[in-house]
Amino acid sequence: MGEAPIGSIDRLRTAVLGFPRFGPDRELKFALEGHWRGEIDEAALQVTARRIRAHNRGLAAAAQIDVFAVNDFSLTDHVLDTALMVGAVRRPVPGLAGEFALSRGDAAHRPLEMTKWFDTNYHYLVPVLDPHAGFALDPSKPLAELRDAGEGARPVILGPFSLLRLSKSADPAAVEPLELLPDLVRAYADLLRHLAYAGAEAVQIDEPCLVLDLTRRERESALRALGELAGAAAGLPVTLATYFGGLGALLEPVLGVGLAEVHLDLVRAPEQLETALRVCADTGVRLSLGVVDGRNVWATDPGRALPLIDAAVRALGPERVTVASSCSLLHVPYSAARETGLDPEVRGWLAFGIEKMAELTTLARAAVVTGAERESVIAAMAGAAVARRASALTNRPDVRARVAAIAPDDLRRPTPVAERAVIQHAALGLPELPTTTIGSFPQTPEIREARRRHREGELSEGRYRDLIAGHIVGAVAWQERAGLDVLVHGEPERNDMVQYFAEQLDGFAVTEHGWVQSYGSRGVKPPILFGDVARRGPMTVLWWRIAQSATAKPVKGMLTGPVTILRWSFVRDDQPESDSAWQVALAIRDEVWDLQAAGAGIIQIDEAAFREGVPLRRSERDAYFAWATAAFRLCSGGVSDHTQIHSHMCYSEFNEIIEHIAALDADVISIEASRSGMELLDAFERFDYPAAIGPGLYDIHSPRVPDAQEMEDLLRLAEERIPRERLWVNPDCGLKTRRWQEVEPAIAAMVEAARRRRSAVPEGAVR
Ligand code: GLN
Ligand code: ZN
């Protein structure tokens, strides 16, 4: 290395865009739930919230982070907080109770709709704007959190463009949210003045929507708004944070609007840097480089991050470069070091929130030294990257050889779906409008207790098996009494439809404390796909056998598909996701074969996350659908024509992807439909879907029990759109979150609805 070290500073500036809100032991979850149950008052809840924030700040200080976000915390959701702050939505009752009424509903109010925050597993609340009400700023939340935090704290605010783009209008025919942008920007300008007056040294405005596919009008309004904010900042340096992708055509104009600093996600879109450096070279704009992945759990490879940082330092000088996480660390757990139950080899490859902050400081230090000094600064990080690449766990020749040998025929069922339907009809002997359920039955306290005692070693293998078998046999008997046609074993052995499989596959690890907020007080603990995947042995056959030997009716085998397993896990970043998908699909394929060999005539492969896996940008979608459908077909390809493959998907926005669902070549799909009143079946008027379909008749997300008449009406609507011989009768989704008191009458009514329709003359039929 010929260049001289940058003598004047001992490291670059570091920044964290946001941190987990849950607390290291999900303190927020327990405080919220305690408060909702009336066990702790608001003051006690706020004490916990303040403690979590102070704890997070302490972690950042210990890691020597220079700029740490405040106001990233929320008792509900940051989108809702922002909407409340600018008066875009109003509390139906005053105070915190009003916020909870919006986030989770109360006796008198329906909650706001919830939807996925970009392509993460976090869900935000969709504000509904009254377009005629105007805005009114209440800056008390960011000001209070700023006051608590002190030096180095940078308030983070969701930007006005993204807030509107993520909202709905209460009166869309009259006003679209985006038309309100100029008005809203005035409220934000006001906010900047308040923050500056309160002593903020900087502010972070998040505009993640800038990375989406935008219309020209949207791009123009966004740029205009940013320009106005830059003008209104009056000395308060604004960092515009963009993440979850690149800015594309917006990159150059955004860098030119006059903001103090622009943050780029260089994990998802490293190609942005070259243009950014060219454009920024002769301006005063600072760049914040998102080089530490905020979306995944892997230790950063300095060989990937440092060249980006070096290039920026060369072009801009060290004073204008910040080293940062790609996005908020909200999407990763707190501490990898704490996962002492993990294989130490794998644990060494991981970096959760705390470790990522340490990485930032290491990179920021390495960036200002060269040669042997640099090497010693990054030695540990570089060592982890090398070890992971070379590990036997990430390079299993047996797995790689199997993937390489996948042939086109492995993805195909040779007989077309319509002909298979005839064969299966004869083999299964099911009535018209066959009734079934999606897989899971209520997870009762006894079931959870049995699993817990088994996990903690209090129950022997044999005793546990007997307990679960008892639940399965009981569930089968109940289904026979209820008159269902195709039965399920009820999934009592499964904690979660992904984790259950991850625990039984080589290449996956399950953490003990690795919680990530999903919404409100709910968290998920995604498994970690760290290596090459292989099945150790049958995963579900035993439970299926127990169920099938208790009945003469067909019992569905029940599996989770590769796309869903990947989407609800942290996945490898050292190979394309499709490569991981092939490996998982081969493991599921083996399970399908084993179920078929055991005698299962119907096998369901759930792809609950197929729709949510669709990439944010249109240009990436074809590639996704290609591997996602192929991976599903690899699971089911090669089964006998007699074996009926089902799939289940839990969403109702169907229209844009129906062709791809058809491409899965499943024999039967079940989907969520009851809330849309079968409207989603309109897609079938445009597209001739060839297989059978079970639109959900029973909304399992609600404690409400629909009666037979209501479900019969829905079924009649379905028959108007789908020929009766291709219709199945089932609920919207699995029943695991419901109670038996609700499930029993609802399923009885569903079976009754099917029975009534069977004896009715089909529409348009001639008798
Ligand atoms: N078979 C699973 C169940 O019934 C499917 C759940 C889902 O789609 N989310 O629970
Ligand atoms: Zn579902």
Side-chain angles (χ1 to χ4, degrees):
M1 288 232 156
E3 287 160 51
I6 302 153
S8 56
I9 55 170
D10 70 352
R11 60 182 161 81
L12 303 181
R13 195 165 86 127
T14 53
V16 167
L17 270 55
F19 208 68
R21 302 164 186 159
F22 249 23
D25 285 306
R26 290 183 294 158
E27 288 84 351
L28 181 62
K29 171 192 179 68
F30 301 116
L32 282 170
E33 291 173 357
H35 178 67
W36 295 335
R37 282 193 303 265
E39 292 160 13
I40 66 170
D41 64 9
E42 182 178 337
L45 173 61
Q46 295 290 7
V47 167
T48 301
R50 257 199 302 279
R51 264 199 212 125
I52 292 171
R53 296 198 296 263
H55 178 79
N56 290 353
R57 282 199 304 278
L59 295 173
Q64 297 180 292
I65 294 299
D66 299 308
V67 183
F68 193 65
V70 292
N71 197 45
D72 57 335
F73 185 83
S74 178
L75 290 172
T76 55
D77 160 57
H78 57 275
V79 179
L80 175 60
D81 285 342
T82 314
L84 287 167
M85 177 187 76
V86 296
V89 298
R90 283 176 180 76
R91 293 171 180 77
V93 289
L96 190 56
E99 288 174 37
F100 291 138
L102 290 166
S103 68
R104 54 195 298 269
D106 64 17
H109 305 95
R110 286 168 144 277
L112 292 174
E113 183 191 324
M114 209 165 48
T115 191
K116 277 171 76 74
W117 175 245
F118 299 85
D119 54 1
T120 73
N121 282 326
Y122 176 79
H123 299 76
Y124 74 94
L125 294 156
V126 183
V128 181
L129 312 177
D130 173 357
H132 312 292
F135 298 103
L137 180 74
D138 170 10
S140 50
K141 178 177 182 290
L143 290 179
E145 290 185 27
L146 179 64
R147 206 160 41 235
D148 269 4
E151 232 172 282
R154 180 170 72 186
V156 42
I157 314 280
L158 180 64
F161 175 71
S162 295
L163 177 62
L164 292 180
R165 188 102 182 344
L166 297 170
S167 299
K168 279 185 175 173
S169 170
D171 185 2
V175 187
E176 280 175 52
L178 210 58
E179 293 173 47
L180 306 172
L181 191 54
D183 241 6
L184 181 57
V185 167
R186 278 189 281 281
Y188 273 76
D190 207 14
L191 170 70
L192 296 185
R193 280 188 289 275
H194 279 278
L195 291 173
Y197 185 75
E201 289 157 33
V203 61
Q204 172 188 325
I205 304 273
D206 283 7
E207 288 287 14
C209 285
L210 295 179
V211 311
L212 301 175
D213 294 320
L214 300 176
T215 63
R216 211 183 68 186
R217 206 182 121 232
E218 286 173 324
R219 287 198 300 269
E220 286 169 1
S221 335
L223 283 172
R224 204 173 314 119
L226 289 175
E228 279 164 29
L229 281 183
L236 181 65
V238 176
T239 294
L240 173 75
T242 65
Y243 42 83
F244 302 149
L247 287 168
L250 271 176
L251 179 58
E252 288 201 36
V254 161
L255 290 167
V257 296
L259 296 155
E261 184 176 57
V262 174
H263 171 87
L264 303 175
D265 182 341
L266 298 182
V267 173
R268 284 264 175 106
E271 71 285 351
Q272 301 185 95
L273 186 63
E274 208 185 307
T275 307
L277 294 180
R278 181 173 49 73
V279 175
C280 292
D282 318 312
T283 67
V285 182
R286 307 177 48 108
L287 280 186
S288 166
L289 313 180
V291 290
V292 166
D293 193 353
R295 291 291 304 277
N296 213 331
V297 291
W298 306 109
T300 306
D301 179 355
R304 200 141 70 169
L306 272 176
L308 299 170
I309 301 172
D310 286 342
V313 170
R314 268 197 307 275
L316 308 180
E319 300 291 347
R320 281 209 281 147
V321 178
T322 303
V323 183
S325 55
S326 64
C327 59
S328 167
L329 299 179
L330 175 68
H331 311 290
V332 295
Y334 268 77
S335 159
R338 208 177 158 198
E339 296 297 334
T340 48
L342 290 184
D343 177 349
E345 184 182 0
V346 174
R347 196 174 66 221
W349 306 341
L350 299 176
F352 296 177
I354 293 174
E355 288 86 6
K356 284 179 193 290
M357 291 199 291
E359 288 186 341
L360 290 173
T361 304
T362 302
L363 290 169
R365 171 83 192 119
V368 300
V369 294
T370 56
E373 202 180 348
R374 171 177 283 197
E375 246 128 70
S376 90
V377 172
I378 60 165
M381 271 173 97
V386 171
R388 182 174 162 219
R389 263 197 300 279
S391 167
L393 297 173
T394 57
N395 301 279
R396 280 184 54 168
D398 56 332
V399 176
R400 306 228 147 218
R402 256 194 100 186
V403 170
I406 296 171
D409 270 353
D410 296 336
L411 312 184
R412 257 203 300 272
R413 300 188 72 182
T415 309
V417 63
E419 288 170 39
R420 296 196 310 258
V422 177
I423 296 169
Q424 291 161 13
H425 184 75
L428 292 165
L430 295 170
E432 210 175 35
L433 300 172
T435 55
T436 190
T437 59
I438 306 302
S440 60
F441 287 139
Q443 291 255 331
T444 59
E446 300 82 64
I447 289 176
R448 290 176 197 281
E449 178 70 3
R451 279 206 312 269
R452 185 195 62 74
R453 291 180 57 205
H454 177 238
R455 196 173 59 236
E456 291 172 7
E458 292 170 29
L459 273 184
S460 71
E461 231 18 82
R463 197 57 206 106
Y464 173 69
R465 184 185 302 187
D466 291 347
L467 273 178
I468 295 293
H471 288 292
I472 291 174
V473 171
V476 167
W478 172 75
Q479 293 172 84
E480 287 201 324
R481 285 198 302 280
L484 287 157
D485 301 308
V486 172
L487 313 193
V488 296
H489 78 286
E491 306 180 25
E493 78 289 9
R494 299 187 191 179
N495 40 12
D496 173 271
M497 65 189 284
V498 170
Q499 186 173 333
Y500 177 75
F501 291 94
E503 281 172 350
Q504 300 185 74
L505 290 169
D506 283 351
F508 277 92
V510 173
T511 65
E512 209 174 324
H513 309 283
W515 293 96
V516 178
Q517 188 178 27
S518 171
Y519 64 90
S521 71
R522 296 299 185 92
V524 292
K525 210 168 57 158
I528 296 172
L529 198 184
F530 63 81
D532 284 346
V533 176
R535 195 183 70 138
R536 294 193 282 270
M539 303 181 281
T540 65
V541 177
L542 169 71
W543 308 123
W544 176 83
R545 248 189 235 284
I546 291 169
Q548 187 63 82
S549 50
T551 179
K553 291 193 169 177
V555 177
K556 290 194 268 194
M558 193 57 62
L559 305 173
T560 302
V563 177
T564 305
I565 289 181
L566 292 184
R567 278 297 179 253
W568 293 349
S569 301
F570 288 115
V571 296
R572 295 174 68 162
D573 65 350
D574 58 350
Q575 64 182 20
E577 208 172 358
S578 50
D579 287 0
S580 300
W582 303 131
Q583 297 182 1
V584 174
L586 284 172
I588 300 297
R589 178 183 174 96
D590 291 347
E591 190 71 15
V592 168
W593 281 65
D594 281 351
L595 283 167
Q596 181 178 264
I602 306 183
I603 300 169
Q604 178 170 314
I605 307 169
D606 290 325
E607 280 295 21
F610 188 79
R611 171 71 181 76
E612 68 178 55
V614 178
L616 295 174
R617 282 178 182 269
R618 226 169 284 287
S619 59
E620 294 159 21
R621 290 186 191 162
D622 287 347
Y624 164 76
F625 283 122
W627 72 253
T629 50
F632 183 91
R633 294 171 65 129
L634 181 57
C635 299
S636 57
V639 298
S640 142
D641 287 344
H642 291 77
T643 302
Q644 190 168 67
I645 297 291
H646 289 218
S647 187
H648 165 71
M649 297 170 178
C650 17
Y651 47 83
S652 46
E653 306 132 41
F654 214 66
N655 276 285
E656 329 141 32
I657 62 162
I658 182 144
E659 281 91 343
H660 302 291
I661 291 178
L664 299 178
D665 199 25
D667 297 297
V668 182
I669 54 164
S670 56
I671 52 171
E672 179 176 322
S674 66
R675 276 201 195 180
S676 82
M678 300 294 138
E679 257 172 39
L680 78 138
L681 298 182
D682 291 349
F684 294 84
E685 280 164 17
R686 176 179 66 79
F687 179 77
D688 188 15
Y689 185 73
I693 180 161
L697 302 183
Y698 163 32
D699 175 9
I700 62 92
H701 300 292
S702 163
R704 209 178 136 263
V705 175
D707 60 21
Q709 184 62 52
E710 188 177 330
M711 288 195 263
E712 190 189 344
D713 292 344
L714 286 173
L715 197 47
R716 189 180 303 108
L717 286 174
E719 283 180 49
E720 286 170 10
R721 292 153 165 105
I722 315 268
R724 186 187 273 191
E725 57 280 5
R726 283 199 264 131
L727 263 183
W728 280 63
V729 173
N730 48 254
D732 271 341
C733 192
L735 302 167
K736 60 177 166 248
T737 57
R738 297 262 63 89
R739 295 173 309 152
W740 277 111
Q741 297 98 287
E742 298 149 2
V743 166
E744 283 180 1
I747 296 299
M750 186 187 88
V751 170
E752 169 62 16
R755 206 185 51 75
R756 287 190 202 161
R757 287 307 303 161
R758 278 176 200 150
S759 53
V761 185
E763 215 73 23
V766 193
R767 252 217 183 146

